[in-house]
Amino acid sequence: MAPTSPRTLYDKIWEDHVVHSLEDGTSLIFIDRHLVHEVTSPQAFEGLRTAGRPVRRPDCTLATVDHNIPTSSRKSYTTTESFIPEPESRAQCVALEHNVKEFGLAYFGLDDRRQGIVHVVGPEQGFTLPGTTVVCGDSHTSTHGAFGALAFGIGTSEVEHVLATQTLLQKKSKNMAVRVEGRLTPGITSKDLVLHIIGVIGTAGGTGSVIEFCGEAIEALSMESRMSMCNMAIEAGARAGMVAPDDVTFAYLSDRPLAPRKGEEWDRAEQYWRSLRSDPGAKYDVEVVVKAGDVVPTVTWGTSPQDVVAITGTVPDPAKIADPKRRAAIERSLEYMGLEVTIDKVFIGSCTNSRIEDLRAAARVAYGRKVAPNVYAMIVPGSGLVKIQAEAEGLDRVFREAGFDWREAGCSMCLGMNPDQLSPGERCASTSNRNFEGRQGAGGRTHLVSPAMAAAAAVTGKLADIRTLIAPAPAPASGAPTVAIGEETSWKDFVAREADVSVSTTSAAPTSTASAPAPSSPSSSTGMRAFTTLKGIAAPLDMSNVDTDMLIPKQFLKTIKRTGLGVALFNALRYDASTSAEIPTFVLNREPYRHAKIMVSGANFGCGSSREHAPWALDDFGIRCIIAPSFADIFYNNCFKNGMLPVVLPEATVRDLLRDADAGKELEVDLVNQVVRRDGAPDVPFDVEPFRKHCLVNGLDDIGLTLQKEEEIRAFEARRSAAWPWLDGAGYLSGRRPASIKVVPVVEAAKKMDW
Ligand SMILES: CC(C)[C@H](C(=O)O)[C@@H](O)C(=O)O
Ligand code: SF4
C-alpha cells in the first residue's frame, strides 16, 4: 500500500469532515459546532420559517446574546423587553429569544450567568473541542482554532444553511504556517505577538489560507493566549487560525461541562486529539518565520490592524513612502488619528482579551495604582462566569479601587452596538481587535494593545511601555483589596458546577440526536436570483482594504431584515456626520455613479467582519458586481449567496477598468462567457469556480441543493457517531448528563433562564 503523504493539521480535520465532493473541488463539509448570536441570525431563522425547515441538529447549536446588550448592572433585570432601552437592539435580542424557543435551541440569556461573548462562552463550556468544525455568523470564530479546531466565520445565508443542513459548501483553503521561534520576553503577550505578525504579513497576508501557528513560543502559550492569537487571524485576512492541541489544551478542557466525560469517553477522545498534529514533512503553501525575541510591546497607530508600531518606535513618515496608494492611506490614517500620546478612554474587554488571564494581567498593573484623572477606564469581562471568577479572586476590587468601571459581560465598546461608545475625537487604548475608522464610535480613535498595556495606559493617562511598570506597585491605599493578586482560583469552581443545568425549551426538541430529524419540507433547489450578464455604470473606488465596517457601519446592523440598507452603504464616507448632508466628492454622490451597477476597487475588498449586511447594502443600492484584485474570504462567499458576483482580476487590469469607470464608461460583465466587456478595448476574461457559476447562472439556492444530499449527510452522521461519539448530543438538550448533581448558585442575583 502506498504510504499516505504527510498531512497538515488542517488537511486532517478537513478530510475528516467531507460529506461529499464535487468535481471542481467544492466540498460539502459537516459542521460539528454552531454558535449563534443576535446580530447575524434573525434573517436566517426567518428563512427557515418561510421554508418550513427545522434546525437539523439543535444538540450541536448554542446561542447567546452579546453584541447589543447594555453592560450595566442586571440586578433589576426582569425581561429583555424592559431591560434594553434602545428599540432596535432590543428587537434583535427579543427576536433571538423567540427563535431559540421556536426552534428548540440551548440559549444563555441575559439572566443566565453563562451568558457572554460567543467566542468566550464556547471554549469555556467545552463546546469547542479539538478536531471539530466550528462556525458562527461572526468573523472572530477563528478564536476557536486555538483548540485545534477548524473554526471560521460565516454570513447569515450560511448560518441558515448550517441550521437547516448542519453542513456547508466550502472550497479548501491554502495551508499557511506561521512559526514563532524562541520564547517571548517578560511583559510581552500573545496580543503583542499577533499584532507584530499582522504588521509583518499585512491584513491580506493570510487571505485564502488557514494559518497554523506553531513553534516554541506558541507551544509555551496558555489557552487564553492562544485564543487571542487565533482570534486575530481574521485580522490577517485568514479563513481561520489554528494551534495543534496538546497537554495545555487537554488540561483546559478537562471536566468542562460539554467536554467528553472522564473515563472511556475522554480517553478515546484524547487518543484522537493526539493524532491532530501536522505530520513531519507536511507541506505548507506559505510559511512565515517570526522570532519571538523581536517582539516588544506593540500598539496600532492607524486605522487598520496592520498599522502597528513598537511602543518604543515611531510612526511612518508618509513622505518616505514611494507607493502613492500606500502613502495616501497612511496620510488619511494619520489625519484621522491626529496622533498624540494622551488617551481619554481605556477599554479592557472583547473576544480577544476578556478572559480571566487577561483580567489578571490588567489587575497586576492596576494594583495599588489609580486611573489617571483624564481617563475613563472600563473592564468588561467576556462572560458572566469570567466575571464571577474575577470577583472571587478580588480582581474587581483591585479595579474599582484603582478607579476602573467594572461592567457586565458583552461585546461592549469593541464595536459599540450598545451604549458603550467613544465620542468623536476621543482616543482609546483598547484590548479589542479592530481599529477601523468609527469602529468604537463615530470619529473615535482606537489604539489596539494588550490588557497589560491598556491598564498601563489607564494609570499613566498615555500610551506607555508596560515594561517600565512591571516592577512591584506601591503599597495599596487603605480600603484596598484584601485578596492579593496571584491568588488564582480554578475555573472548575465556577464552570464545572454548571454542567448539569439543562435548558428547557417550549418546543418539542429532540432528546436524542444520534439520528437527525428529516427535513419537514420538500427541498427545493431554486430560489436565488440568477446572474447572467450585467451592463451598466461602474463606480471607481480606488482604495485597498475596503472593510465591511466602512461598507456598512454597526448602527445599521440592528435590523432584522435584509432589505432597505442601500442608504447605509458607505455611510461615513457618503454623509457628513454632523449635518447628514451628502459629501459631494464621494463617488456614489456623483453623477453618473449614483446609478452604478458595478464597483471597481482595490485589493482585499470586504475585509473585516462577516456581516452579510455589506453585500445586502451594495445590492440595495443597485451594485451587483464588484471587481477587485482580491477579496476577503467571507465577503466573497456572502456575495454568491445573494446572487451577486465578485470578479477577481489582476491589479493592472483593475487599473484599466478604474480608468474606464473614471471616464464614466459602462462595463458589461458576462458571467456565462466569463468576460468583462469594455467600450473600445478588448474583452477581459475572468475565472470563477464552476460550481459557484452554475448556482449563480441558474439561480440555485444552496440549501435546496444540499438537502438533496440527505442520504450522504445521514451516512456521514452515522460514521461520526461511531468514530467520535462524544460529539453527539453534546448540547444542553441531550439530557445525557445525570440530573442528580445539584447546581450551586454562585451569585444570588444570577438566576437561570428557564428555556
Ligand atoms: C456583528 C458581526 C457580524 C461582526 C463580525 O463578524 O465580526 C462583529 O462581531 C464585529 O466584530 O465586527
Ligand atoms: S470582535 Fe468585538 S463585536 Fe465582534 S464578536 Fe468579538 S467582542 Fe463581539
Side-chain angles (χ1 to χ4, degrees), residues 255-315:
D255 290 329
R256 297 267 166 189
L258 299 176
R261 277 201 278 179
K262 279 296 168 56
E264 201 192 319
E265 187 180 64
W266 174 274
D267 296 344
R268 208 173 149 191
E270 193 182 315
Q271 198 190 354
Y272 170 63
W273 295 343
R274 287 196 185 276
S275 73
L276 297 172
R277 308 194 70 81
S278 293
D279 297 327
K283 293 265 173 302
Y284 293 91
D285 303 287
V286 190
E287 279 198 72
V288 174
V289 176
V290 171
K291 300 242 177 298
D294 291 348
V295 184
V296 295
T298 303
V299 35
T300 57
W301 57 263
T303 53
S304 159
Q306 72 187 3
D307 296 340
V308 300
V309 64
I311 189 70
T312 47
T314 44
V315 300

Side-chain angles (χ1 to χ4, degrees), residues 444-514:
R445 294 149 163 171
T446 305
H447 296 279
L448 302 177
V449 288
S450 73
M453 286 283 283
V459 298
T460 59
K462 53 190 199 296
L463 294 171
D465 189 338
I466 179 62
R467 293 170 299 183
T468 62
L469 284 154
I470 42 186
S478 62
T482 49
V483 180
I485 303 294
E487 282 186 23
E488 295 179 2
T489 56
S490 161
W491 62 268
K492 290 187 185 176
D493 299 337
F494 309 97
V495 180
R497 50 179 92 161
E498 307 289 323
D500 303 298
V501 181
S502 71
V503 177
S504 60
T505 69
T506 54
S507 78
T511 48
S512 158
T513 51

